[in-house]
C-alpha cells in the first residue's frame, strides 16, 4: 500500500509528526505551510490524497478546498480536513465545499492513518492494491512484476515505476512535469526528453505480440495509460 500524500498545515510539529507516521506506512509525503504554496504544489504533483488544515496563515483551508474542486484535473483528489473546530456547522461547511472526511484536532495518529487508508482504498483502489489490472495489463506491486495477457514483461526499475504510476489512474493524462515529480522525485533533474525515452521503452515492452498500444501520447500535454 503506497500513495502520494500532500499535507497542508502551518504548524511544523504537526507536519513532522504526520509525515513521519505516514512515511512509516509506506506513503510518500509532501507538504506546504500555507494555502497559496499548497495549490501550486498540488497542481504540480497531483497527489492521491490531501490532508488539509482549516486554519492557515493566508487563505483558509476551505478556500483551498474550493479552489482545488474547481480544477478539473484535481477535483477528484480526496481531501481530509484537519481542524480544531468541532462544531457541526463547520463540519457541514467543510463537506459542502467538497471535503471527503473530517478529523478534529487533537486526533490520534492511529485514527488518522486508518482514515487515510480507508479513503485511499475507497477513492482509488488502483493506488493501493497489490495487484492492479487495466485491460490485459497486470501490475503486481508485491512482486514487482508486470504481465501483458499471460506473458511476463521485462521492465527496468524506472519503467516499472512509470507504469505503476500511470495505472493508478488509467485514462488520466499526466504532463511530463507531473511524471517527473511523481516517478523521479522532486529533487531530481531530468530533461523532458529523458521521460520520452523511458515512455518509449515502456511502450516497446508492453505492446507485444501485435497487441494494441496502451500508452496514449497527448500532443503538447503528456501521456496516459489508455485502451
Ligand atoms: Ca493551522
Amino acid at each position: 500500500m503506497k500513495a502520494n500524500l500532500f499535507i497542508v498545515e502551518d504548524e511544523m510539529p504537526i507536519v513532522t509528526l504526520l509525515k513521519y507516521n505516514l512515511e512509516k506506512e509506506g506513503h510518500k509525503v509532501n507538504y506546504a505551510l500555507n494555502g497559496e504554496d499548497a495549490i501550486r504544489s498540488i497542481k504540480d504533483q497531483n497527489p492521491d490524497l490531501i490532508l488539509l488544515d482549516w486554519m492557515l496563515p493566508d487563505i483558509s483551508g476551505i478556500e483551498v478546498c474550493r479552489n482545488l474542486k474547481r480544477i478539473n484535473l484535481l477535483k477528484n483528489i480526496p481531501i481530509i480536513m484537519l481542524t480544531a473546530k468541532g462544531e457541526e456547522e463547520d463540519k457541514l461547511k467543510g463537506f459542502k465545499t467538497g471535503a471527503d472526511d473530517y478529523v478534529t484536532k487533537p486526533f490520534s495518529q492511529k485514527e488518522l492513518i486508518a482514515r487515510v487508508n480507508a479513503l485511499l482504498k475507497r477513492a482509488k483502489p488502483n493506488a493501493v492494491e497489490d495487484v492492479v489490472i487495466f485491460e490485459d495489463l497486470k501490475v503486481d506491486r508485491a512482486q514487482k512484476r508486470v504481465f501483458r495477457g499471460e506473458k511476463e514483461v521485462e521492465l527496468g526499475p524506472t519503467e516499472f515505476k512509470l507504469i505503476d504510476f500511470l495505472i493508478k489512474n488509467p485514462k488520466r493524462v499526466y504532463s511530463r512535469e507531473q511524471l517527473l515529480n511523481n516517478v523521479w522525485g522532486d529533487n531530481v533533474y531530468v530533461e523532458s526528453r529523458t521521460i520520452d525515452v523511458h515512455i518509449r521503452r515502456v511502450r516497446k515492452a508492453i505492446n507485444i505480440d501485435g497487441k494494441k498500444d496502451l500508452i496514449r501520447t497527448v500532443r503538447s500535454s503528456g501521456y496516459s495509460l489508455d485502451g
Side-chain angles (χ1 to χ4, degrees):
M1 212 191 237
K2 205 177 122 223
N4 291 319
L5 310 180
F6 198 93
I7 303 171
V8 191
E9 165 67 78
D10 56 314
E11 285 165 77
M12 202 54 209
I14 298 182
V15 173
T16 309
L17 188 63
L18 278 171
K19 194 168 175 325
Y20 174 79
N21 283 305
L22 291 164
E23 282 175 346
K24 221 165 61 181
E25 289 289 298
H27 300 302
K28 192 181 153 205
V29 182
N30 283 300
Y31 66 91
L33 300 169
N34 63 63
E36 299 281 1
D37 286 350
I39 292 171
R40 203 170 15 232
S41 302
I42 287 166
K43 277 183 192 162
D44 282 348
Q45 297 174 13
N46 208 340
D48 299 311
L49 183 143
I50 299 165
L51 295 166
L52 177 58
D53 184 29
W54 185 296
M55 300 288 271
L56 294 167
D58 51 351
I59 51 174
S60 75
I62 286 290
E63 233 5 86
V64 174
C65 187
R66 203 171 280 145
N67 265 299
L68 295 173
K69 295 296 174 188
R70 269 193 222 120
I71 302 169
N72 256 339
L73 273 173
L74 306 176
K75 68 179 183 200
N76 295 322
I77 303 174
I79 296 178
I80 299 180
M81 293 289 298
L82 309 177
T83 179
K85 301 176 173 187
E87 277 104 30
E88 266 326 282
E89 209 174 297
D90 292 329
K91 207 179 258 190
L92 286 175
K93 204 166 149 194
F95 282 129
K96 235 167 107 182
T97 328
D100 300 87
D101 204 353
Y102 192 101
V103 177
T104 308
K105 290 179 186 171
F107 46 82
S108 87
Q109 294 291 311
K110 224 170 131 186
E111 188 203 338
L112 187 84
I113 286 165
R115 289 200 189 204
V116 165
N117 289 338
L119 192 53
L120 278 173
K121 205 155 197 165
R122 193 172 82 213
K124 245 181 164 185
N126 278 5
V128 294
E129 296 296 341
D130 275 346
V131 176
V132 194
I133 293 170
F134 174 71
E135 302 234 336
D136 59 350
L137 182 73
K138 183 167 95 177
V139 175
D140 185 331
R141 294 192 170 119
Q143 298 191 45
K144 291 216 181 293
R145 295 168 79 183
V146 176
F147 297 86
R148 183 81 196 258
E150 298 294 305
K151 226 180 207 171
E152 183 163 7
V153 164
E154 292 291 335
L155 290 174
T158 305
E159 286 71 35
F160 180 85
K161 279 198 238 168
L162 257 174
I163 199 76
D164 182 23
F165 177 70
L166 288 171
I167 205 169
K168 279 185 187 175
N169 248 330
K171 296 181 192 275
R172 172 140 161 202
V173 179
Y174 290 98
S175 68
R176 287 175 178 82
E177 176 150 17
Q178 286 171 337
L179 291 175
L180 183 62
N181 288 332
N182 283 286
V183 175
W184 276 264
D186 309 320
N187 303 313
V188 183
Y189 180 74
V190 178
E191 283 184 70
S192 59
R193 67 160 184 267
T194 308
I195 296 168
D196 298 336
V197 168
H198 287 280
I199 285 280
R200 208 175 303 140
R201 285 189 198 150
V202 171
R203 253 204 181 108
K204 204 174 158 200
I206 67 171
N207 298 335
I208 46 167
D209 301 338
K211 289 178 190 280
K212 68 177 165 184
D213 188 0
L214 290 181
I215 305 279
R216 185 159 76 98
T217 306
V218 183
R219 195 190 267 268
S220 76
S221 292
Y223 298 102
S224 69
L225 186 68
D226 207 337

